[in-house]
Amino acid sequence: MEEESMEEEGGGGGCEAMMDDQNHNNWGAGGYGRHLLGSAAPLGDRLLRGPAGSPAGPLLPSEPEANGVLRGCDPAGAAGKGGAGAIAAAININASTSKFLMNVITVEDYKSTYWPKLDSAIDQLLTQSPGDYIPISYEQIYSCVYKCVCQQHSEQMYSDLIKKITNHLERVSKELQASPPDLYIERFNVALGQYMGALQSIVPLFIYMNKFYIETKLNRDLKDDLIKLFTEHVAEKHIYNLMPLLLEAQSTPFQITPSTMANIVKGLYTLRPEWVQMAPALFSKFIPNILPPAVESELQEYAAQDQKLQRDLMQNGFTRGDQSRKRAGEELTYS
């Protein structure tokens, strides 16, 4: 009875909020989970920010120990300093830790319960169209990742994530290969935009794995790794088919929309800047400072290019600026 009383007295401090039951189901008891949903800040910012009134700095657990217990749990800090308080806090922490260790997430639990939830959510994020509503709980998915990191499943979870996204990108690449030339550019643009949009949700959801496994043990970053996957499995396989079509579209004004051309060129530059060398003039229209500064000896060539552009515009129904202004003046006169 005395031990139970001590547990009740010291129940609010230390790691109790993160170790309350077998799977951290009350991991947000200290306010962390409520803050996650209550803030209007972007997802990535909310995941790293502590509860209101907490000291400045991210509320992140220390790196997990091999047995699944988080470092940085200070028994004395749980109930304040002092003899009786310190003893009560130590008993409380030990009881919580024992309960936590008796109910660890096994490899089988991870495979049968936790990863299937993550797998389904990733599927939806990778295949959503812009503006679609995705019926998933971001809090639940983030909590799954958090628990798996605390229970030492980071390596397996990272491997599963990379395999999942790689398989998706290989399917995307095959679909692009089957596209007819007149749809090839537009479909590549959709695939690129859809993937980059998905990363804006996937990366924050796996922020704990990134923080305590990828950055710490692999010395890399999750977003960089996932962008590299698209480069290797999609862009590199299609760049030599895509670039001639882009150059042809550039020479035929309005064959594709300017926004599509801009998205693809900027995206290719983000994936691999050295691809600029394949078509410097094309990239220079959308990426600043690609070409060397203009020199006086090439002014005539610049003028010839400008005249050609004007002829192309007129052939497609656009009139020169002075003619437009003249007609506008005539309309004002007659009115």
Side-chain angles (χ1 to χ4, degrees):
M1 294 296 294
E2 182 178 355
E3 182 176 335
E4 291 178 0
S5 175
M6 289 182 178
E7 285 190 17
E8 291 176 0
E9 292 175 1
C15 293
E16 180 67 15
M18 290 185 289
M19 296 180 176
D20 192 37
D21 66 17
Q22 62 178 351
N23 288 329
H24 301 288
N25 287 331
N26 285 331
W27 62 272
Y32 188 76
R34 294 193 298 275
H35 175 81
L36 178 64
L37 292 180
S39 174
L43 180 61
D45 294 337
R46 297 203 304 270
L47 299 184
L48 283 174
R49 193 175 301 152
S54 63
L59 181 62
L60 294 173
S62 301
E63 185 176 358
E65 295 279 7
N67 60 9
V69 181
L70 302 177
R71 288 200 191 106
C73 299
D74 182 8
K81 297 180 180 180
I87 294 173
I91 293 175
N92 180 46
I93 292 297
N94 290 337
S96 299
T97 301
S98 299
K99 182 167 56 177
F100 175 77
L101 292 176
M102 289 172 62
N103 298 278
V104 297
I105 299 174
T106 66
V107 173
E108 184 58 34
D109 291 335
Y110 167 81
K111 291 181 178 180
S112 62
T113 303
Y114 288 86
W115 175 249
K117 293 180 181 179
L118 300 175
D119 183 274
S120 177
I122 295 166
D123 253 337
Q124 295 182 64
L125 292 171
L126 288 173
T127 56
Q128 68 178 331
S129 299
D132 279 358
Y133 169 73
I134 305 298
I136 63 174
S137 169
Y138 284 88
E139 181 191 23
Q140 182 186 60
I141 300 307
Y142 173 77
S143 179
C144 283
V145 173
Y146 171 85
K147 294 169 187 176
C148 291
V149 170
C150 291
Q151 295 277 341
Q152 299 297 305
H153 296 292
S154 294
E155 182 176 0
Q156 183 63 53
M157 185 164 52
Y158 175 74
S159 175
D160 289 339
L161 176 63
I162 295 300
K163 182 179 180 180
K164 171 75 177 177
I165 294 182
T166 297
N167 290 338
H168 167 77
L169 292 176
E170 289 177 347
R171 290 194 298 270
V172 169
S173 181
K174 290 180 180 179
E175 292 173 359
L176 284 174
Q177 288 175 351
S179 299
D182 58 326
L183 298 177
Y184 192 92
I185 293 177
E186 188 61 42
R187 289 183 179 178
F188 184 91
N189 182 54
V190 170
L192 176 63
Q194 190 176 51
Y195 184 74
M196 292 303 180
L199 294 193
Q200 294 181 14
S201 295
I202 293 174
V203 172
L205 286 174
F206 285 87
I207 195 169
Y208 265 100
M209 182 181 71
N210 190 48
K211 175 77 174 176
F212 294 105
Y213 177 69
I214 302 175
E215 290 183 357
T216 303
K217 295 187 177 180
L218 304 182
N219 296 317
R220 296 202 304 268
D221 178 77
L222 178 59
K223 184 177 180 180
D224 293 341
D225 284 359
L226 298 184
I227 289 177
K228 185 179 179 181
L229 286 181
F230 188 90
T231 304
E232 293 177 347
H233 295 281
V234 180
E236 283 184 352
K237 295 180 179 180
H238 293 272
I239 187 66
Y240 294 104
N241 292 329
L242 180 65
M243 193 59 68
L245 293 175
L246 292 176
L247 293 173
E248 180 183 350
Q250 181 195 22
S251 64
T252 308
F254 312 106
Q255 180 175 332
I256 63 173
T257 63
S259 61
T260 297
M261 180 70 80
N263 289 339
I264 293 178
V265 172
K266 291 178 180 179
L268 292 176
Y269 182 76
T270 299
L271 296 177
R272 185 155 293 177
E274 55 265 32
W275 281 339
V276 167
Q277 304 304 320
M278 299 179 67
L282 174 62
F283 279 85
S284 68
K285 295 181 181 297
F286 305 98
I287 310 296
N289 303 320
I290 291 297
L291 296 177
V295 294
E296 184 177 356
S297 61
E298 297 179 352
L299 290 178
Q300 291 184 349
E301 182 179 349
Y302 300 147
Q305 293 176 357
D306 182 64
Q307 291 173 1
K308 181 180 182 302
L309 176 60
Q310 291 182 15
R311 289 195 299 270
D312 291 338
L313 291 172
M314 293 177 66
Q315 290 174 0
N316 285 273
F318 288 80
T319 57
R320 298 182 63 174
D322 54 348
Q323 293 175 340
S324 299
R325 287 192 294 270
K326 181 179 179 181
R327 281 201 302 272
E330 291 173 351
E331 291 175 358
L332 289 174
T333 301
Y334 293 132
S335 62

